[in-house]
Structures are given as C-alpha cells and as structure tokens.
Amino acid sequence: MKLFHFRGVATLFILLLFLRHLRRADSAPPLFACDGSNPQTKSFAFCQTTLPVHQRVKDLVSRLTLDEKISQLVNTAPAIPRLGVPSYEWWSEALHGVSGYGLGISFKGRISGATSFPQVILSASTFDSHLWYRIGQAIGIEARAVYNEGQAKGMTFWAPNINIYRDPRWGRGHETPGEDPLVAGKYAVAFVRGFQGETFEGNNVNNGHLQASACCKHFTAYDLDNWKGISRLGFDAKVTKQDLADTFQPPFKSCIQEGRASGVMCAYNRVNGIPNCADYDLLTKTARGEWGFHGYITSDCDAVSIIHDNHKYARSPEDAVADVLKAGMDVNCGSYLQNYTKSAIEQKKLPLSQIDRALHNLFSVRMRLGLFNGNPTKQLFGNIGPDQVCTKEHLELALEAARNGIVLLKNSDKLLPLSKSKTSSLAIIGPNADIRNTFYHNGCDFVNCTFAAIEDAVKIAKEADYVVLVMGLDQSQEREDHDRVDLRLPGEQESLIKAVAAAAKKPVVLVLVCGGPVDVSFAKDEGKIGSILWAGYPGEAGGIAVAEIIFGEHNPGGKLPVTWYPQDFVNVPMTDMRMRPDPSSGYPGRTYRFYNGPKVFEFGHGLSYSTYSYNFISSTPNTIHLNHLYTQPTDQGSSSVRYLSVSKIGTNTCETLKFSTHVVVENTGDMAGKHPVLLFVKHERPKNGSAVKQLVGFQSVSLNATERAHVEFVLSPCEHLSVADEDGSMMIEEGYRHLVVEDKEYAINVVL
C-alpha cells in the first residue's frame, strides 16, 4: 500500500511536470517590436535604443501610411507587419488587481489568475499611502509577469479611478478612494508610482521606463452612471469654477504632476456643455500645458461616438473625430476613429498633423514600456515571471489591506472582540455570509432579499451563543451603469436583521459588505445590535480579516473615507453637481466638507479596541506671517477680509512658507493597534462657500499599549490654508484657523 502510494505520488508529479511543460510550450511569447533576430529591424531608427524616445517615435510615424496611422488610433491597434510592429491592445483593467475585464489580459495559460486586493474604497479607509504604494507595486509586478508570459496584448491599464465620490448613490463609488480630494490625490500618486515602477518618493530610478502604464480616470467631474433614466452618455454636469478648482480637478493634477501617470482617460459626460473628450482647455491647456502631462489620453469606451449620437455636440461623425483629436485626445476605445478619421481628413475638417501628434504620444508610451527594444524578457523588468503572481507576500498584503481597512462603526459595551474560549457556538446569517460554521443560514437567497426566511433564521439565532449577520450590497445593487435610488439595505434585509437581533440571546454583530454607504440608523440606535463592522468589498483575504477582527486577533483601525447619509438624502437630485450648500433653497451640500444635514456616520469615523489620546506640541507655530515675504499688495474682498492670491505668491515662495505641525499620539488602551491620524483645518469664522473643515494631512501610526509617537505634518499655506473663490482662483485669507485632530484643536493666525 505504501509502495502504491509512493508510485501514485511520483506518477502524479511526473504528470504535473509534463502538463506544465505542455503549457509552457503552448504559451505564446510576449508581443514586441524590433526583434534582434530580424535583420530588417536594424535599419530602422525607431529600433535604436541609444536614440531618445521622441526621435525614435518621429522616425516610426514618418514611415506609416495614412491608413496605417488611422489604424493605430483605436484601442485594438492592428499589427504593421512590414515594419515588424505587433498588434497592441490599450484596454486592460487593474483597479484592485490585474483583471480579465477588458481586452488585453488572458488568464488561459500558465497564469490563471492574479491577486485580488480589496476594492479601492476599503483600501482608502486605511489612510495609508505606503500601503497604497505597495498595492500598486504588487499589481504592476503581476501585470508585467502576465505580459512576460505572453498572456497580455498590452501593458496599459486603465486604473486608478480617482473621481470624487460625490453622491452616495453612485454605482462606481466603491472603485474610488472616497469623497475627499486630498485623499484621492494622495492615493493616485502612491498607486501610480508603485504600479509604474518608481520609488515611493517618486524618484525616477528607471529613467522614464515603465514597469506598467497607469491611467488616471475619468477626467473630469464624472460621478453619475445611470440614475432614474439619466445616463452618463448624455449627461451635462453643470459645475462651478469654484467646485472644479477645489474638488474635481485636484486629484488629477496630483496624479499628473506628482504621480507622473503615463495615461489619462477623458470621461463620457459633458462639463458645462462641452464633452470632456472634446475639451481643448481641459486636455491640452490644463493637463498638458499647466500640469505638464506627458503621456497618452484615451477616451472611455465609445465616448467619441456619443459626442455626435447622444450629446448632439458634433453635427457629423467627422466633426466628432475632429473635435476630439484637436482637443488633444489620442486613442479611441471603440471604432469611431477607425471609421471616420479618413473622411474627416478628406473633408478638410482635420489636419494630418493632429494624427501625427496623437501617434507620437501613443508610441512614446509603448516605447517607454520597452516594447520596441527587442525581446522584453531580456530587458528591464524581463525577470518578472509567473512565480511573482499570487505570491505569499501579495496574499499577505491583501490580508493586511483588508485588516487595516475594515471599519468598526459601533461597539456597544465592548461586545467585540469575542472570546474564542468563551464562545461556545456561533451563528452566521445573511446573503453575504459563507458556510463555514456549525450554525449557518443565508436568510435571503440573494442580496436583493425580495424574500427573507425570517423564521428559519430566528430559530438558528436562538440556538447560538453569539450571532453574526453578514448583510449589505453587491454588484446587482451598485456597479458601472447602475446607480442606486435608495440608501437602505435591499429588500427584507432590515426586517431580517431586526428579527434575528430580537431573538438572539445576546446583542448581535452586524457585518456590512458593501461599497457605498447605507442608512443603518436602525442598527446604530438598536441596543440588541451591539457591534457594526463595515467590510467594504475586502478581496480574496476578506473572510480571514473579518474573522480575525471579530475574535480579537487584529485590532480594527480603519476610518470611513465617505460620509454615510440618511435615507432622506435621496430627495437631493443626483444631477445637482453643487458641492456647497444653498440655504435659500434648502440644498444641503455634499461631502463632509460642505454637507450641513444629519449623518448616519461621519467621514473619518472609526472605532478601535484601544483608545488613543492626541496633543499638539507647542513647537507648532501659532502665527503665520505672510506680509514680509513679498511686495505685492493684498486684495480685499466684499466682506472686508483681506486675502492674497496664491498665484501672486509664486511657487518658489510657497515652498519657503511651509511649516511643521507636531502631534503626540498615545495608545491609552491595553491592546496594540494601528490607525490613521487625520489632521483637519477649519476657519474660525467660515463664510458662505467655505468648507466646514478640510482634511490637510493623514498618517498611519502603529502603537503598542501605552506607547507614544510623535507625528509630523508638513503644511503649506498655499495648499492647505487657501480657499477657492467663485472664479476658481486659490486665495489665502487673513485670520484664524484651527488645526483639528479628533477632540484637540490648535489655533493659528494668518497675518497679511
């Protein structure tokens, strides 16, 4: 029997090796140009790696026929065999892991999947830039591995999504880092640097070469998909200059200037009447001119066709093509440019120079990816293989992100953590629960919960020592092209929760698996619901993370990156883009910065099994003198408050004005923990249009019980103490502000 077993294992081992060999043999090599074994390529200047990229691209574009040029303006670009240029797919996805969604990635080969990190909204709740960088780095490594294995048709990935989570009903809000522009910008910078192969600090260690190409989307003011029949494909977002300046544009500016993203995607919608992909001021003057963007700009899929078909902005398909290329867009996800560019040229609506401009940007990125340097497996990043996909380190990173992102919303009488030794039985109930315990009931067949088996669930709850309800949403409720119309839990979920809680022996634990906020006021105020955990969409290690937190193996420290609104907020039209409240009409404003209505849970809310104290150190300056650093006169507004334009101060002077704020953080509990310290600023006398408060810094801190740490925040008056006026110009006003960390405040006076 033992011999048979040995032979069986040996035979299986040999068979696996044979199958592995077959899969390697069947695996196609990665696609690349300038094959060194092809004598023809040696005569092409675009294959000479010693030449600068712009010179190589110029040579390549000059060799293309008009039809060849046009063929390269769409996401599925065909090969140019006579020049040895392979086909290329621009559309791949990697929001929280390399994805098979899109046309560029195949998992039918030696690599059958990639690490699934938590959805972005949960990673954002860690407020940990270093973690975001490491996630981006891991995804970028796995992307390059898939390419090197011949399972990728391209190395351009349309991530991250850094739109502001303006409205809680938005179906794609969970793809974003939340509602705060500073957080969205910091996330963009960290993720892009890691993904593209730079250091955390942004040092260009690879001389412009890209591990993988990141694309910040959706530019700009895009946060409505399909709400009550109003579609993103025809929506005209009416946005004030003020809101553009201090809410919608800052994440993209950070992504481009600090993150040095190599891609940007223009969004479906119009902004103030102009389709984003046809907006010259947006794409060329702002992104490329003011912010110094060097990369390619893609449309969202079919976003060019809708300029004619839906927006009715262009009179003809040829006009739409001319509009987007003249605006500065480079590649069309779709076939519109392939179909109508030639006729646009023939009708003299489009000069050839605009096509050459677009091709220069497109081929520059492909060259920076090393796809025109010969066999990429023998170049920089060529040693990244399948053994670096789904590694133990990446799984641990996914678990770390889930652990540190999960938010403890409520914990009455310290119900959590549960004691393993004292918990004799546990019931898991809910449509988002897994079967892994003795007592289990799904409660509802599906998340929409049109019918709940309440009696059966109650029966199980009565038998258990403790009950955990796993409820929430899924992609049937919130997804691309589908916004919510309700903020409550779907169907009979609330009735199920109430019935189980009433029947249980002890207060129950409610775990919410969802991306967007839900109105769980009933649970917040119900004594029989002792604890509430928000788990977001926690990725492949999410189940482990939730269990570890419930049983005290990990101390939760995440904080909400979005405001949780009550159900009444659905009375606010989702189409109203205004951030600031309007007292005259009762419009409440949006996000923690401006919303003046009731909240279920606030932005930044999150409990811990420990307690923490915070104190500002007196070395933080209490007066900021700006009057002696420049000679320009100050301005005075209608409110008789003096202010100074940031643009008048200048970049160099702004740099000299930076100052440090020091905060002592102490873990006053009896359990080690990690949590983010959030620093806000608020005006002593806020005027109409000013934020209630504004996040200006955040750092993640790990402390043992009774341990202290000194946290330094470096602030710039030009960035952190300025406000946008109605024209979108950033101004520094005189007067007092208060720096705020939790319950502690520190006053500083700006003197002009």
Side-chain angles (χ1 to χ4, degrees), residues 38 40-41 44 46 60-66 68 79-85:
N38 183 353
Q40 181 187 19
T41 63
F44 297 148
F46 68 80
L60 173 57
V61 174
S62 71
R63 297 175 185 272
L64 302 179
T65 67
L66 177 59
E68 287 171 338
I80 307 172
R82 68 184 185 86
L83 298 177
V85 176

Side-chain angles (χ1 to χ4, degrees), residues 26 32 123 164 176 202 224 227 323 347 353 358 389 422 433 471 494 518 528 647:
D26 291 340
F32 62 92
S123 294
I164 296 300
T176 78
L224 178 149
W227 177 76
D323 287 342
Q347 295 173 22
S353 60
V389 178
K422 296 180 181 179
M471 314 299 283
E494 183 174 325
V518 287
K528 287 284 287 181
S647 63

Side-chain angles (χ1 to χ4, degrees), residues 335-363:
S335 58
Y336 220 65
L337 263 63
Q338 193 172 42
N339 295 338
Y340 296 107
T341 299
K342 193 167 187 177
S343 54
I345 292 175
E346 291 170 346
Q347 295 173 22
K348 300 188 182 306
K349 294 184 175 182
L350 178 70
L352 183 60
S353 60
Q354 290 292 351
I355 297 177
D356 291 347
R357 176 204 56 76
L359 293 174
H360 182 93
N361 294 327
L362 295 174
F363 282 115

